[in-house]
Amino acid sequence: MASFIEIALDEARAAGAAGEVPVGCVIVREGAVIARAGNRTLADADPTAHAELVAIRKAAAALGSERLTECDLYVTLEPCAMCAAAIAFARIRRLYYGSADPKGGAVENGVRFFASPTCHHRPEIYGGMAEAEASALLKEFFKERR
């Protein structure tokens, strides 16, 4: 059985194949995947359609609740400020991410959203999950476009 970060990597590869920035996300509750998504900003013509937001929307719909308190989120790239805020609002229990994002990340880089005194919910955070593979997907994607 594939690990949850491997499922997120599959979603990232699918997003990349569709021309999207290759970021994938999976949300897990009680050991089962309840939502999975890749970036869809181009497909949906929606700048907010990051993998995390799409997956959070699917998970909330699946559970019939805006609170995902018993859920863990796995994503291939360090979340941006928008996604970090959504993770906080959804009350995600644990955040696992792959590659750090020095330019756009907001967890360990940039604004460090969860360290802000005004942040009302902080998930447990685990970075560096399958970091080499997640990073390689992004580097190859952008290399092909330069």
Side-chain angles (χ1 to χ4, degrees), residues 72-88:
D72 301 332
L73 186 147
Y74 295 77
V75 65
T76 58
L77 182 64
E78 177 183 355
C80 69
M82 174 181 68
C83 293
I87 289 165

Side-chain angles (χ1 to χ4, degrees), residues 34-50:
I34 61 166
R36 56 192 290 171
N39 272 356
R40 295 190 48 84
T41 58
L42 299 175
D44 294 354
D46 179 356
T48 71
H50 288 194

Side-chain angles (χ1 to χ4, degrees), residues 17 20-21 28 80 92 108 124 127 146:
E20 303 278 358
V21 175
V28 176
C80 69
I92 295 288
E108 302 291 332
E124 293 175 32
R146 289 190 180 116

Side-chain angles (χ1 to χ4, degrees), residues 7-128:
I7 296 168
L9 285 164
D10 288 343
E11 289 293 327
R13 284 189 280 275
E20 303 278 358
V21 175
V23 176
C25 180
V26 62
I27 297 179
V28 176
R29 183 172 187 250
E30 297 177 356
V33 173
I34 61 166
R36 56 192 290 171
N39 272 356
R40 295 190 48 84
T41 58
L42 299 175
D44 294 354
D46 179 356
T48 71
H50 288 194
E52 299 96 304
L53 271 86
V54 175
I56 286 170
R57 289 173 185 142
K58 287 180 178 182
L63 296 177
S65 175
E66 79 284 8
R67 299 282 188 245
L68 306 177
T69 56
E70 300 297 317
C71 296
D72 301 332
L73 186 147
Y74 295 77
V75 65
T76 58
L77 182 64
E78 177 183 355
C80 69
M82 174 181 68
C83 293
I87 289 165
F89 287 131
R91 307 290 200 281
I92 295 288
R93 177 177 58 184
R94 293 183 196 104
L95 165 64
Y96 299 88
Y97 70 87
S99 182
D101 186 357
K103 286 186 178 181
V107 176
E108 302 291 332
N109 291 287
V111 300
R112 297 179 179 227
F113 184 86
F114 299 116
S116 169
T118 59
C119 179
H120 63 281
H121 172 77
R122 293 167 185 84
E124 293 175 32
I125 301 167
Y126 305 92

